[in-house]
């Protein structure tokens, strides 16, 4: 499968660790950056050119930001199969442009709930658009690089340097697996919180998520 250079990226992050350097590195490679809210502001303050998602889609953020990236222009750009005549015809008809890289990390639901926030505050920290973007990009990882962890920013740039602005298929597949792991753990945390709110020790369906803290050495298992 041919590798497609990254020409357009969508960045919308809650954790802004490393954001400015990542944005600069992408901009230096001629990548058009789409962004929203605080991410767009942070990038602009760092001198990184940004296109607001609302300008890109022609549709404003509404409902206090609950609906901003849930648009066909965005999801079509992430899900379109390059080289598929039907998909490309739909893109031409509806003015959809491909998005080659997604960098998203989610509203801090886990930290909010762990901090003892009230019910309504926890609900407002349930991310909707973020998981949808991540899942779409991970599904279409044959063409889209999906990044959910700021620790991977430098590796993405390294990959682009080694592949004439593109990323390798194996690299995208590994990031896709990591992305689904993140959305799975996120949903597990929300499900467990709801069960706790309802006083259900053993709900009819329990979901568990974990994070690798240490790799065991030989003989420690």
């Amino acid at each position: 499968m041919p590798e497609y250079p990254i020409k357009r990226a969508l960045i919308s992050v809650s954790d802004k660790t490393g954001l400015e350097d990542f944005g600069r590195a992408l901009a230096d490679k001629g990548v058009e950056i789409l962004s929203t809210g605080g991410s767009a502001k942070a990038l602009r303050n760092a001198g990184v050119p940004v296109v607001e998602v609302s300008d890109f889609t022609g549709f404003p953020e509404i409902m206090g930001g609950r609906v901003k990236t849930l648009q066909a222009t965005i999801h079509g750009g992430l899900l379109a199969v390059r080289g598929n005549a039907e998909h490309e015809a739909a893109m031409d008809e509806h003015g959809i442009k491909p998005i080659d890289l997604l960098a998203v990390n989610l509203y801090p639901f886990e930290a909010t709930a762990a901090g003892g926030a009230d019910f309504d505050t926890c609900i407002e920290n349930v991310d909707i658009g973020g998981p949808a973007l991540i899942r779409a990009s991970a599904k279409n990882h044959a063409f889209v690089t999906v990044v959910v962890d700021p620790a991977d920013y430098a590796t993405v740039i390294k990959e682009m340097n080694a592949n004439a602005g593109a990323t390798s298929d194996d690299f995208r597949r590994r990031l896709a697996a990591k992305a689904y792991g993140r959305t799975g753990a996120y949903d597990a945390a929300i499900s467990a919180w709801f069960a706790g709110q309802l006083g259900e020790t053993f709900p009819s369906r329990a979901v568990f998520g974990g994070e690798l803290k240490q790799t065991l050495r030989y003989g420690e298992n």
Side-chain angles (χ1 to χ4, degrees):
M1 180 179 295
E3 304 295 353
Y4 295 85
I6 293 171
K7 297 181 179 179
R8 183 174 294 107
L10 171 56
I11 301 177
S12 182
V13 294
S14 176
D15 177 0
K16 295 175 177 56
T17 303
L19 173 62
E20 295 178 0
D21 288 342
F22 187 49
R24 287 193 197 97
L26 291 173
D28 287 346
K29 294 182 178 300
V31 176
E32 180 185 32
I33 298 175
L34 315 177
S35 194
T36 61
S39 300
K41 181 179 180 181
L43 288 166
R44 280 201 196 92
N45 288 343
V48 178
V50 175
V51 177
E52 286 277 357
V53 164
S54 57
D55 293 331
F56 183 73
T57 64
F59 197 93
E61 293 185 18
I62 60 174
M63 301 178 184
R66 281 192 170 197
V67 179
K68 50 190 174 185
T69 57
L70 296 168
Q71 302 289 340
T73 305
I74 296 297
H75 284 270
L78 292 171
L79 284 165
V81 175
R82 280 53 158 175
N84 180 296
E86 181 182 354
H87 288 204
E88 293 187 352
M91 294 174 78
D92 289 341
E93 180 180 356
H94 298 288
I96 296 172
K97 299 177 181 178
I99 299 172
D100 310 302
L101 182 146
L102 177 81
V104 166
N105 53 63
L106 306 174
Y107 293 170
F109 175 84
E110 295 100 329
T112 301
D118 61 44
F119 187 90
D120 289 344
T121 300
C122 288
I123 289 296
E124 285 307 310
N125 276 275
V126 174
D127 202 323
I128 301 300
L133 293 170
I134 290 169
R135 290 174 61 83
S137 302
K139 174 172 180 169
N140 204 28
H141 67 273
F143 307 101
V144 180
T145 303
V146 54
V147 191
V148 298
D149 185 347
D152 291 320
Y153 292 164
T155 310
V156 170
I157 299 303
K158 183 178 179 180
E159 271 282 312
M160 293 175 68
N161 288 338
N163 292 279
T167 57
S168 65
D169 183 66
D170 180 69
F171 181 73
R172 292 192 303 276
R173 188 172 298 176
R174 289 178 183 277
L175 288 183
K178 186 171 184 176
Y180 278 121
R182 177 64 188 119
T183 58
Y186 195 73
D187 282 343
I190 296 168
S191 176
W193 174 80
F194 264 111
Q197 294 295 306
L198 295 168
E200 295 182 347
T201 304
F202 299 105
S204 59
R205 176 169 292 171
V207 185
F208 302 95
E211 183 177 351
L212 179 66
K213 294 296 185 181
Q214 180 180 340
T215 301
L216 295 177
R217 294 171 295 182
Y218 180 78
E220 288 186 333
N221 59 339

